[in-house]
Amino acid sequence: MAGRLLRVSSFATAVVASSGFYLYNKKLDFNDLSLVRFGRAAATTIIISYDYLCLRNMEYGTEEYWELKSQVHRRSAERLRDLCCTNRGTFIKVGQHLGALDYLLPDEYTSTLKVLHSNAPQSSVEEIHQVIREDLGKEISDLFVSFDENPRGAASLAQVHKAVLHDGRTVAVKVQHPKVRTQSSKDIVVMEALVNMVHWLFPDFAFMWLVEEAKKNMPLELDFLNEGRNAEKLAAMLAHFPWLRIPKIHWELSTTRILTMDYAEGGQVNDRGYMKTHGIDVNEISQNLGKMYSEMIFVQGFVHCDPHPGNVLVWKCPNTNKTEIVLLDHGLYQNLHPDFRLAYCRLWQSLIKGDMKGIERYSRRLGAGELYPLFACVLTARSWTSINAGIGKTPVTCSEVLQVRGWCPGDVSASESRCLVGFPLSYLYSTRMWRSEGMQPCTSPRSVTC
């Protein structure tokens, strides 16, 4: 028996040693191993779940309960952020989406996860060279006169480099992270298993839909040729807006993992310091953003679904001295049914005029049911008092801003949460757009009266 055990131990040692030697020679990052990524995600999920289970020992509704719950929210959000940054790829994409759900999640989550929009990990220079070599069949020096190896921006699925073509034109080269495509399908399976586990522990957990959306949308976002086609489609639809710029695609230097387009200057749409320095009128930008998205939602029914500030730039053209809006990242769009667009249009008209019967009628038609007051407040980020008076007739006051900021989505009941996340994604995307910083609908007065 001892001899057999010794032989098995020796064999196992040899296997582990040879495997380690092989992985070392292949220079394989252990973060790429599905087992490692799953283990890390599972451990984080278990720790977060245990933290929330401990709340059951507290008396609900007491000051101590709410203080402890806020601390648990903050710790859990930080753990989730760290997991996203370590596992990267699909995890960051889902984390970014969670960071935008300020109408559903507590502030501790949204404020913590929003950093994922600007602090996504980068791929190495060698990895970028390898992707370009594999997809375009040439070295970077053969394709570009110059190629800035420091990315101008890094996101969950790709990063962007500035380059100059041989004919002198400056372009932006969006290169997909080399491992994200192979990892994405496995990561989604991991997320689905862990989300189902959380739902088993906490039956009121109502975010299973996130995994379903990731399954549907990730293949589209990983196909950069699809993004290029979307960009050209929207450019044609909104060609009558002279102040809107959508960078031209260079198809000869584009593949499913590489998208080359005209380089665009500008500052982020929420950077008021940049706009003040360059003499850009904030009100003009706000009005044009409202026109742009109103055209997409109500007229064209083809809506850009990732309108965070990093994807919307503003700049003043030195040749014409006119202000332009630059719209980037066209990987994901939502097609809206004509019936939805009409009902949604009627709802906004009712909200502007304070037509309470219309607000109830069209909110119910859009699926809000008895929760139409909650839906109206979430949609507009206005108080119920202002909605009764008509948001087009009442300026935003400091007290209302504080009141709206004081709403705690985490205190919404389970049934209300399920109803909100059950709305068509067009609601979620358009609500996200209207409520993104610096992107308020032009139909709603934004001057704040103190």
Side-chain angles (χ1 to χ4, degrees):
M1 183 68 182
R4 182 181 300 176
L5 182 60
L6 180 61
R7 286 194 298 271
V8 171
S9 299
S10 301
F11 177 75
T13 302
V15 169
V16 171
S18 59
S19 298
F21 182 75
Y22 172 78
L23 294 175
Y24 175 80
N25 283 338
K26 296 289 289 185
K27 296 182 179 180
L28 182 65
D29 186 350
F30 279 92
N31 186 54
D32 298 339
L33 300 177
S34 298
L35 184 61
V36 173
R37 298 168 67 80
F38 171 77
R40 188 184 294 122
T44 301
T45 303
I46 291 170
I47 293 172
I48 291 175
S49 299
Y50 179 77
D51 218 358
Y52 278 102
L53 283 172
C54 292
L55 285 174
R56 294 180 176 179
N57 299 324
M58 303 291 297
E59 183 181 352
Y60 179 82
T62 62
E63 184 176 341
E64 185 181 2
Y65 172 86
W66 293 119
E67 182 179 351
L68 181 59
K69 187 174 184 179
S70 176
Q71 294 174 7
V72 172
H73 283 334
R74 180 68 65 186
R75 287 197 300 268
S76 301
E78 290 172 352
R79 288 166 178 152
L80 189 58
R81 176 202 60 202
D82 294 343
L83 171 65
C84 292
C85 289
T86 306
N87 275 8
R88 305 169 64 172
T90 308
F91 281 85
I92 289 183
K93 195 68 181 178
V94 172
Q96 289 174 339
H97 193 55
L98 287 171
L101 299 180
D102 55 352
Y103 42 86
L104 283 178
L105 292 178
D107 178 67
E108 291 90 345
Y109 274 91
T110 56
S111 60
T112 302
L113 295 176
K114 278 181 179 177
V115 301
L116 296 174
H117 282 296
S118 55
N119 294 326
Q122 301 176 6
S123 292
S124 67
V125 174
E126 292 76 15
E127 290 174 322
I128 295 302
H129 279 244
Q130 183 64 25
V131 172
I132 292 176
R133 190 181 301 115
E134 289 175 355
D135 281 32
L136 297 178
K138 294 182 179 180
E139 296 294 334
I140 284 182
S141 57
D142 297 326
L143 298 169
F144 308 102
V145 173
S146 66
F147 186 91
D148 190 350
E149 294 185 341
N150 295 315
R152 292 305 173 105
S156 57
L157 306 181
Q159 61 193 53
V160 177
H161 294 261
K162 185 178 181 179
V164 178
L165 300 176
H166 286 283
D167 60 9
R169 288 177 295 174
T170 303
V171 294
V173 185
K174 182 176 180 179
V175 184
Q176 191 173 114
H177 298 309
K179 302 165 187 175
V180 70
R181 186 181 294 268
T182 56
Q183 292 172 346
S184 62
S185 57
K186 300 172 186 175
D187 286 345
I188 290 173
V189 171
V190 169
M191 289 181 193
E192 186 171 27
L194 296 176
V195 164
N196 286 331
M197 184 190 79
V198 173
H199 182 57
W200 178 75
L201 287 171
F202 305 94
D204 288 341
F205 182 79
F207 291 90
M208 289 75 72
W209 58 275
L210 273 173
V211 177
E212 294 303 317
E213 288 306 312
K215 282 183 182 178
K216 181 178 69 175
N217 295 331
M218 193 58 64
L220 296 174
E221 296 192 74
L222 288 172
D223 182 1
F224 287 178
L225 295 179
N226 173 68
E227 178 178 344
R229 290 188 292 268
N230 286 340
E232 290 193 341
K233 181 176 179 179
L234 189 72
M237 285 179 171
L238 305 186
H240 54 287
F241 290 146
W243 40 262
L244 176 62
R245 182 182 172 196
I246 297 175
K248 177 186 174 183
I249 306 299
H250 294 259
W251 291 108
E252 72 281 3
L253 294 174
S254 297
T255 68
T256 56
R257 295 196 298 172
I258 299 172
L259 189 66
T260 304
M261 67 203 88
D262 286 349
Y263 185 79
E265 301 280 357
Q268 291 190 3
V269 71
N270 62 340
D271 189 345
R272 288 181 176 251
Y274 175 90
M275 287 190 264
K276 183 177 181 180
T277 300
H278 292 81
I280 296 174
D281 187 344
V282 175
N283 290 330
E284 179 187 353
I285 294 297
S286 181
Q287 290 175 1
N288 286 341
L289 284 170
K291 291 176 184 177
M292 179 179 73
Y293 262 91
S294 294
E295 177 81 12
M296 281 192 269
I297 293 171
F298 301 117
V299 179
Q300 304 295 344
F302 187 65
V303 186
H304 185 291
C305 290
D306 199 11
H308 68 80
N311 288 338
V312 186
L313 306 181
V314 293
W315 86 308
K316 181 165 283 189
C317 179
N319 297 327
T320 63
N321 204 37
K322 293 182 178 180
T323 301
E324 294 182 351
I325 294 174
V326 183
L327 189 60
L328 305 173
D329 198 348
H330 303 270
L332 189 60
Y333 273 73
Q334 179 85 352
N335 288 289
L336 305 183
H337 191 277
D339 291 342
F340 164 80
R341 285 152 50 201
L342 181 60
Y344 197 49
C345 178
R346 298 298 188 199
L347 173 59
W348 270 102
Q349 289 176 330
S350 300
L351 289 165
I352 293 167
K353 296 183 293 185
D355 176 6
M356 300 309 296
K357 290 184 178 179
I359 292 173
E360 179 178 359
R361 179 187 308 116
Y362 294 110
S363 293
R364 287 180 180 274
R365 188 172 295 179
L366 292 170
E370 295 295 330
L371 296 175
Y372 72 89
L374 175 64
F375 177 53
C377 291
V378 167
L379 187 65
T380 60
R382 301 294 301 272
S383 68
W384 185 240
T385 301
S386 296
I387 289 172
N388 273 271
I391 62 174
K393 304 173 185 177
T394 54
V396 181
T397 63
C398 286
S399 60
E400 184 182 11
V401 170
L402 294 175
Q403 179 185 354
V404 171
R405 286 180 179 174
W407 290 344
C408 182
D411 299 338
V412 175
S413 71
S415 61
E416 291 172 341
S417 178
R418 278 194 292 270
C419 181
L420 283 174
V421 299
F423 290 143
L425 276 184
S426 41
Y427 291 151
L428 300 181
Y429 290 135
S430 55
T431 300
R432 173 184 173 183
M433 181 276 300
W434 290 137
R435 295 189 62 188
S436 294
E437 186 175 356
M439 297 186 186
Q440 300 295 341
C442 60
T443 52
S444 177
R446 301 312 301 172
S447 57
V448 178
T449 303
C450 297

